[in-house]
Amino acid sequence: MKTCIVIYNPNSGHTLKKSKIPKYKEIIEKYGYNVTFIGTEYKGHAKEIVSHIGFVNLVISMGGDGTFNEIVFGNLQRKQRLVLAHIPVGTTNDIGVMFGYGKDIEKNLALCLSGEVKGIDICLINNRPFVYVSGFGKFMTIPYDTPRKLKKKYGHMAYLMCGLKDFFSVTKNYDVTYEINGEKVSGLYSFMLISSANRIAGVNNFYKDVKLDDDTFEVLMCTYTRRLDIIKALGKLVTSDAEHVDGFEFYRTSHLKITFKTHPKNAWCVDGEKLEIRTLVYDIKNERDVKILLPKKNISKLFVNKED
């Protein structure tokens, strides 16, 4: 029989209840797995579990985007990497929605376990992975600054509440130089967004024609400094291609190096969590072909290689 470990975050979202675990276990067993559930007890625990367990056929993340990030991080530290899956149980669940999941955990398990294993690109920032998005500057501290209690009580609205506070704060500009696609550019930027996703901050189709296996990620550098200009430009991304929106410098690349003139006060955000690395230089690149089991429904839209 195949083996499966489910690593779940008991503090994620509203829908994960321990009383439901026997039902989830039953569903997974129907697909031929001998399954064990492990609840996380502290930040970083999911990463530790994955990096130290023996071989299993499948590791399922059951939590928010941050939980899945930890599981990917732990997997990248292994000599023998494992096949991963992600069942979204967080507040925004950008990764889960992009993969094709809804809100019902039982249905999501069936979608996952009847899905396909695909190789996806994972971005690394100074060798620290992020699955779908990292950012720095204006609005980028909201995901990790929003209190967990507010997330549990208000869901996605909690981010909007904290975002309103950030909107009225002073917009700081950062003097940086970045190297990308053979270019070297210097300037003042209010925020930077690096991603490999078509859904960011709850917004579908944030970028057009994003692929998860094309060895590129998207880079957005904002030159606007006025709050209203930034909001208007972000709004235009919903209907326009990023390269045609004023106030943004947009690229697709497989390697980016960003150098700050002075040490930034705030931390980068990676998949909704704070990046603990603080330095002047950030090197972002791709790690290829991380194996993920995901629903079939969005494969044709998200992958260049339709068959592995």
Side-chain angles (χ1 to χ4, degrees), residues 90-152:
T91 304
T92 304
N93 296 321
D94 284 324
I95 299 170
V97 173
M98 178 174 67
F99 284 172
Y101 293 115
K103 295 182 178 180
D104 188 299
I105 294 177
E106 294 181 25
K107 290 181 180 178
N108 287 342
L109 280 169
L111 283 171
C112 170
L113 295 166
S114 61
E116 295 182 17
V117 175
K118 301 295 293 182
I120 73 171
D121 301 331
I122 296 294
C123 290
L124 304 175
I125 178 168
N126 289 7
N127 292 317
R128 168 67 163 85
F130 59 95
V131 180
Y132 82 111
V133 67
S134 69
F136 181 87
K138 188 68 173 176
F139 302 126
M140 296 299 155
T141 65
I142 295 170
Y144 63 71
D145 276 346
T146 302
R148 186 175 295 279
K149 287 194 291 187
L150 282 182
K151 296 179 191 178
K152 291 283 284 186

Side-chain angles (χ1 to χ4, degrees), residues 3 52 64 88 105 133 154 201 209 219 232 302 307:
T3 51
H52 290 97
I105 294 177
V133 67
Y154 297 110
D209 196 31
V219 177
K232 289 177 182 178
L302 292 174
E307 298 181 6

